[in-house]
Amino acid sequence: MLDTPEAVVEALRENHERPHGPVRTVTAEELVETAEVFEKPDVLVTALLELMTAYEFTGEQRKSPVVFARILKLWDTTPESFSPYEAHQVFWRFKWVTTSLLQVPEMPLASIDGWIDQMRSRYEAADHGVQPVAAMRYHLAHHTGTGAADAYDLWATRPRTDLSDCEACETRHHAWHHVVEGDDTAALDIWRPVLDREQECSEEPQMSQARALLPLLRAGRVDEARSHHLTGYRRVRGATGMQAEVGHHLEFCAHSRNEGRGLEILAENRPLFEAKGAPLDHLHFLTGAEVLLARLVEAGHDDTAVAGPPGRAWTAAELLAHVRGESEALADAFDARNGTTAVGDGRRTRLALAPLLDEPLPLGLRVTAARTASADAAPVAPASARIAIPDDFADLVREARRLARDGHPGDTRLWSRVAERLADATEPYDDALGPEDLLAAELAEDRAQQLWFKDRHTSAAAELDTAAGHFEKLDMPWHALAARARARAWVTAPGSRDGDAPAHAPDRTALDELLREAERLLTSAPFDGEPLGAAEAFYGADLRAERILAYLAVRYSVAFSAFQELHIALTGTEEDQEAPDRKGQVAALTERFETSTDTLCSEATRLGYPHQAANARQFRADLLARRGALAEAEEELRAALRDIESAGRPWRRPRPSLHLAQILLAQQRPQEATDLLHSVIADALAHDDPTLPLGPTYLLLGHAATHLDDVGGAVRHLSEAAARFDQADAPGSAVEARLQLADVLARSGRQADAVAVLESALSDVPPTVDARMTAQGRLTLGRGLRDLEEYLPAAEELLRLAETVAGWSEEDRGDVLTLVAAEAATTLALAERWEAADTAYERALAAHAEAPHPPLITLMMREFARLTLQTRDSEGTDTALEHLARADAVLAAVPSDQEDFAVWYERGENHYRRARVLAEAGRFDEALPEAESAIAAHEEGGERGELPRAEAVRVAALIEGNGLDRAAAALTRLTAASARCRQAGHPQAADVLDALRQELRSR
């Protein structure tokens, strides 16, 4: 019941603790009405200031000046009703009113000028410095585009006062002035303290992070831009008071070619389309949306569904027209008010800017917005593609055939174009290209190749059988034989995505028969023989090469099948391992594998096609690596690369190089692996290879960078890997890459970045992702949110994880449930949700009884002791001491021979926390022995105990010097401990002790 002034004041205090939003604003309005009833000016002042704060931070600046007029009237009539803080706020909020008036185009400039004049008069009358007044003059000049340079000089050269904006906000304004002037370098230099979080406030760094995005892109500092987008957007998402900043993030998505991410941001901020309480900020939001939508429409995605103002469905083109109309009207209204074109010019400049990157900047985020192109569409050549696509159809087919004969990956795009041209039915067939069935067979072979790379092995084999049928009809036995052999080998490969067609056991009989057929053909249709029909005759002088390549394709298929069969046998299930005569089976398969690869290698070398010998060496290297023979595997792969070099086919280097990089990384040679992986990507780009698995390549690069302690490189490569897995429609691999990325970010102290990535990655985890890996990601997310002091979301995440882990088998669960439950309990305590925290506390103890984890449980108990004393005043010291007594009992139950458990440390920390609790309760005589027990316990830890021992000494000295008035004893203690720290190589700890010694001595 708000029936007394005191009740209103208490309600105001509670409302002030709420996050900014509609609930806080409406409550503040109601409390002003209630305060008016009591005719208590001091209560009304407090209520009005709270309401003005709510308007300022929820984008309701239209209403702010009216509230301040009431505050100013009370200041003039009953200044004694204002506390010292509130009196300071009167002058502080003159600035809020100025910027609020600028937000409203209906407010005449003369009125704003007059308001700034009044601000100056009141500041001078109260003997306040006028630097804040100069700042308001600059903001007005900047907004209108009139005299901004002179106004900036007048503001920037004046000394700061206690009424100046905080350092972080002033830094933002200084930096933005230079951005508008076109000097990104100066702006980013000025911005450094805010972007590095040396200067912070309630609005910073998130406002600066949004505004610095495009300057960072223009400066080529894309890693920083990525990070500031990840961390900054989370802090402005959905905030009506930050809608201008949301607009900057939308603009960043367009210019970094992350339009899908931009559509997600639009969807998450749909209410901002109706948040019109701050028209200038609303214009900035609309302009960011307009930049994004214009980019989509220009790219031909007019009909893409997008999120716009609530109440109807929107396409990109429809929303663009709506946003454009509203933003043009707003800009025109401001320019009419100002008598200049500054606001409209600024909007037009933003809209005219072209994308700042040629390729999408990987953000490390999973984009769930609808795709704008079909995943099954033909491959699109990147800007870096090296293969030209001829316009003439005959030239197009001839070039595709040439590249296919050489095994060049660039043939893929050409065959796709051939298929498109034929599908158009506008190309008259040229008989000079040979029989039409020949082209049909070649296209079937290409389709098979593309299906193979998508792991659709059975479908690929079917296409090869189709090709073989065409070749047989054309009387081309060598080509038909090669297609049949590849089909029989491919259909047995594991890992096929053909859901209705599981892999079959290798058909050795069929492959052996095909090999015998090849040997018969060597007699009836030798390499140098005559053509068997018009189709073969078409090849002319190339017929010999065609037949040799077909023969080697058969040999390759036999070797590939033998490799697959031996690999399956060596990596089979436990049941397979115990099968009767398994040793004999493996021996027979090994002999078959060695015979087939030796023959392929020798025949390829004899016939002058060493790249096929390289294939045999890659099979050998794979099996060697799986057996742990890394040096021998490396030798085979280096020999394979030499074969490829001698064959003059550099486009075949990437795959053996990728495998070699894996071997090098396994041998702890990350720098060599990194160099090799960069060459893999360079080769793939140089030879236009769309089939190279770039996701795994970038993933390996990320691992290598991690081994090299190159956090920036690891973040770049793992982000790229996730994006490539998305493009390859491999959601499980994409999630795993993001979980690894988040782990790198978290371990490097970039918790905000890690949280942004994890929130994205864990929103929809495919069942193929390892459950423990997902659980680790959720644990990292919970810890990250806790580190960001988002305690309630952190606790919710940890509680959900606890429920998941509780459902695991006892063997899988281990002590994970104990760990998660303990962390959830502590986090709930940090969130001051004590009832839930107590429940989680008991659950952690129950889990500990089944699967002990003493360090986590004792840490939880010590944290409860600390937080109980801080936030549960009514429970006080006794409850805190009870927690510590339970921690002592946990330690007493630990077996004396338990390994990997520093009982000395845990015991010392219990004594240390008890000393702190007792000292805060004023029980210094009891506190000092506990501090000394902590010192003694940490003494047992030797070198590892030096730093916690030094902290225990510091607390003991404080208790002696301040609580017990024994300064001399405290000084003696500190002198000895400081010398000890310096001798142990801990100068910073010694400095802390010396500072306390100096403080005690000065008293």
Side-chain angles (χ1 to χ4, degrees), residues 912 915-916 919 928 931 950-960 993 996:
Y912 170 81
R916 295 286 300 263
L928 183 58
E951 170 59 14
V953 168
R954 186 186 72 83
V955 169
L958 283 169
I959 294 169
E960 279 184 316
L993 297 175
L996 177 57

Side-chain angles (χ1 to χ4, degrees), residues 607-632:
L607 293 168
Y609 291 88
H611 66 280
Q612 284 285 15
N615 288 332
R617 296 186 189 281
Q618 289 178 73
F619 294 149
R620 293 174 186 162
D622 189 288
L623 291 175
L624 286 166
R626 291 176 190 276
R627 292 205 305 263
L630 300 182
E632 292 89 336

Side-chain angles (χ1 to χ4, degrees), residues 87-152:
H88 183 269
Q89 286 297 301
V90 170
F91 292 96
W92 183 271
R93 297 190 186 197
F94 267 97
K95 299 178 297 180
W96 289 12
V97 175
T98 303
T99 54
S100 294
L101 295 174
L102 282 175
Q103 284 274 353
V104 183
E106 297 86 359
M107 181 60 60
L109 280 189
S111 297
I112 302 174
D113 267 326
W115 177 258
I116 298 175
D117 287 341
Q118 183 186 164
M119 177 183 174
R120 183 184 186 96
S121 297
R122 286 184 178 266
Y123 269 49
E124 289 176 340
D127 201 25
H128 290 304
V130 295
Q131 190 259 14
V133 179
M136 296 304 104
R137 287 286 179 202
Y138 166 71
H139 293 321
L140 175 59
H142 169 78
H143 173 70
T144 61
T146 303
D150 290 340
Y152 178 77

Side-chain angles (χ1 to χ4, degrees), residues 783-807:
R783 287 170 169 172
L785 289 166
R786 186 178 62 206
D787 288 346
L788 296 177
E789 299 183 3
E790 298 179 33
Y791 298 128
L792 194 55
E796 291 169 351
E797 191 64 46
L798 291 168
L799 288 171
R800 282 194 293 269
L801 178 57
E803 291 300 321
T804 300
V805 174

Side-chain angles (χ1 to χ4, degrees), residues 566-596:
L566 179 56
H567 168 59
I568 292 169
L570 293 173
T571 59
T573 64
E574 187 174 334
E575 184 179 345
D576 294 333
Q577 306 293 334
E578 295 176 357
D581 195 31
R582 179 180 178 277
K583 185 179 291 185
Q585 292 173 4
V586 170
L589 292 173
T590 301
E591 182 179 0
R592 179 180 175 85
F593 170 73
E594 290 175 349
T595 299
S596 61

Side-chain angles (χ1 to χ4, degrees), residues 373-381 412-413 415-417 419-420 450 454 690:
S374 169
D376 294 327
V380 178
T412 299
R413 302 193 198 283
W415 285 126
S416 296
R417 185 63 182 141
E420 289 172 5
Q450 301 320 305
K454 293 177 182 177

Side-chain angles (χ1 to χ4, degrees), residues 619-663:
F619 294 149
R620 293 174 186 162
D622 189 288
L623 291 175
L624 286 166
R626 291 176 190 276
R627 292 205 305 263
L630 300 182
E632 292 89 336
E634 178 185 351
E635 186 178 341
E636 286 286 357
L637 289 169
R638 293 198 183 279
L641 288 169
R642 289 193 294 271
D643 287 338
I644 289 170
E645 194 67 28
S646 66
R649 301 192 178 202
W651 50 85
R652 300 186 71 96
R653 285 193 300 243
R655 281 174 174 76
S657 295
L658 185 58
H659 194 183
L660 178 56
Q662 291 176 290
I663 300 294

